[in-house]
Amino acid sequence: MQSVVALDNVSFAWEQLPIVTIRHWRVARGQKVFLYGPSGSGKSTLLNLLSGILRPQSGSIRVLDQDLTKMQAWARDRFRARHIGMVFQQFNLLPYLSVRENIELAAYFSPATPLDQTWLDHILQRLELTNDLLNRKATGLSVGQQQRVAVARALLNRPELLIADEPTSALDTELRDNFLHLLLGCVEETGASVIFVSHDRTLKDYFDLQLDLRELAGAGEASPC
Amino acid sequence: MLMRIASASLFNRRLTVLLTVFSIAVSVFILLGVDHIRNELRASFGRTVSGVDLIVGARTGPTNLLLYSVFRIGNASNNMSWQSFETLSQASEVAWAVPLSLGDSHQGYRVMGTTGGYFEHYQYGGRQPLSFSAGQPFAGEQQAVLGAQVARKLGYEIGDELVISHGTGGVSFSHHDQYPFRVTGILAPTGTPVDQTLHVSLGSIELIHETGGGHADHGHSHEPESITAMLVGLKSRIAVLTFQRKVNQFRDEPLLGIMPGVALSELWQMMGMVERALALIALLVLLASLLGMTTMLLAALREREREIAVLRAIGAHASFVLLLIELEAVLIALAGAVLGYLGLAGLLVLLKDWLSSQYGLYISSLPLSGSTLGYLGLIVGLAALLALLPAILSYRNALSKGLTVRT
């Protein structure tokens, strides 16, 4: 397997969502990609496509050599649960569940990977989350803690791909740097590839590769297809 | 996990959820209450009188005669004469005839003048005769036989003395206190208005109503001038219609003879309209409360978009979201149904004695019968059906919007 993500001739257009067309894109195993995506650049459409929630009208989206466009909806959902971890800007947790239950959800939706308590304890420790936080309600945590819990959940099933969508934009500078260190440190252990979307270019130095989403996704916009 | 998420999510919105549960509970309470009381009334009325072929009274409506003669509801507007009673009871078809004389009371319980034949011939339920739990029938004047509840509530025992009041109100200012009665017998409970009745001889009724002195001679029996109604048993039931015609065409005074079963079914026919109206209202109230629940679920959808996006991101299928909302609706409806059921059952237990002593209505406690379970099933099913609207809306959102949250 050369690449974790492989997109070819993907085009998607639907209702008010921005048009996304990608001729060719590869993300190598273990590669950490910084995707510069200001609003309106089709960022959320791309994330929906990569995670298998939306299906493109044409082209192929291969994740771990499996073509998402050829899978049934339930199979894509199961694939996402097992192989793709996701962290959002904010509100990653169900507010009425405890932190532990929020994390366990990831194992619940991926029956192939039973909850590995040793691994969970380890990443919680790596993410500087103490065990007494686990029984608290998600809303009882600070934003920084919530984001780290989201990372722990995203990495619980040891996914091969981690997608992070502006995960630092709710954090102040000091917390942000710390968060990025912790996030990338944990990812290092699993060897996962990372697609990190942000509008904050100052973060690009943490990553192996920098891409502008407008160039990537808008490449085919000029030529109608 | 679905269950855990649904219950935690509902608990998180407990105020609105609780109000919705209460509104469903109230409608379930009404729905089951109307249904149960209707069935109980029918059963209770139906088992009150049996073995009586004809009830005869002064001319009035059949329902009216039935209600005041057997159920002690309302009062007779006219009496029939003793003369007519004697004539009719001597007719060849008649096996037995018992006079009833109502109009007095004791501490809110009706006093009925009758003859010893009443205890022999009156039957209730499936042709069960009256039986004594203590003592025996009255043998003369100023003796009384108490219904089971009268004795229990007022704490009378054999040999106790009591005074009868004029009129049938709970509070009477005119007491016949120069003629105290002695308790000679207490009847076993029957679950009919007999339990709330004090039985005395017909002569006693006359005695306490005679004005002036001069009747110290207790030797002769007091014959009444008039009675309220009479119960008739015939030698052969085939003769009922002919005898009824004879009564209705009685020359000496206008009389009415009714067959208890026929009069009851006429009463139910009349009540049928009211019952159907009540049942319809109960259903509409239920529908309104379930629509309220749907509105609540719909209103919450927008703020739950984030929640749904999170679930989708971790790998939940869109149908998980649909099931979640359906499960929440079912839980709410179930909680409401159980609460309404328990509320009604509890209230019936509390009101049981009061209903029977005040109105002679014997309402048994609420059974978890097939029809009750059927109603509860209907309510939960209806809730699930109505919840399909918010559930399908969020399902479609989960499919198309995915991780995108409108902000």
Side-chain angles (χ1 to χ4, degrees), chain A residues 14 44 47-48 51 53-54 73-74 77 80-81 86 88 91-92 94 96-97 101 104-106 108-109 137 153, chain B residues 1 4-5 8-9 12 304 306-307 309-318 320 399-404:
Chain A
W14 194 65
S44 51
L47 294 182
N48 275 318
S51 59
I53 283 171
L54 294 179
W74 66 268
D77 292 329
R80 177 170 67 252
M86 304 197 80
F88 297 128
F91 307 111
N92 277 287
L94 299 188
Y96 43 79
L97 293 184
E101 286 169 326
E104 282 172 353
L105 270 180
Y108 172 76
F109 287 113
K137 266 208 173 181
R153 185 182 60 195
Chain B
M1 188 55 93
R4 170 73 193 124
I5 296 179
S9 151
N12 192 45
R304 296 185 76 180
R306 287 180 192 288
E307 202 179 313
V310 169
L311 285 170
R312 288 287 277 156
I314 322 172
H317 189 57
F320 184 86
L399 274 184
S400 64
K401 298 276 164 32
L403 313 176
T404 323

Side-chain angles (χ1 to χ4, degrees), chain A residues 31-83:
Chain A
Q31 198 174 32
K32 301 185 188 70
V33 179
F34 178 85
L35 206 54
Y36 174 68
S39 56
S41 57
K43 179 190 73 174
S44 51
T45 308
L46 177 64
L47 294 182
N48 275 318
L49 288 171
L50 282 175
S51 59
I53 283 171
L54 294 179
R55 222 197 313 215
Q57 273 86 2
S58 62
S60 78
I61 298 175
R62 300 167 70 82
V63 178
L64 300 168
D65 281 344
Q66 300 222 44
D67 195 339
L68 294 183
T69 58
K70 294 205 170 76
M71 284 189 206
Q72 296 289 317
W74 66 268
R76 292 201 304 270
D77 292 329
R78 183 143 299 181
F79 184 85
R80 177 170 67 252
R82 168 64 191 88
H83 299 289

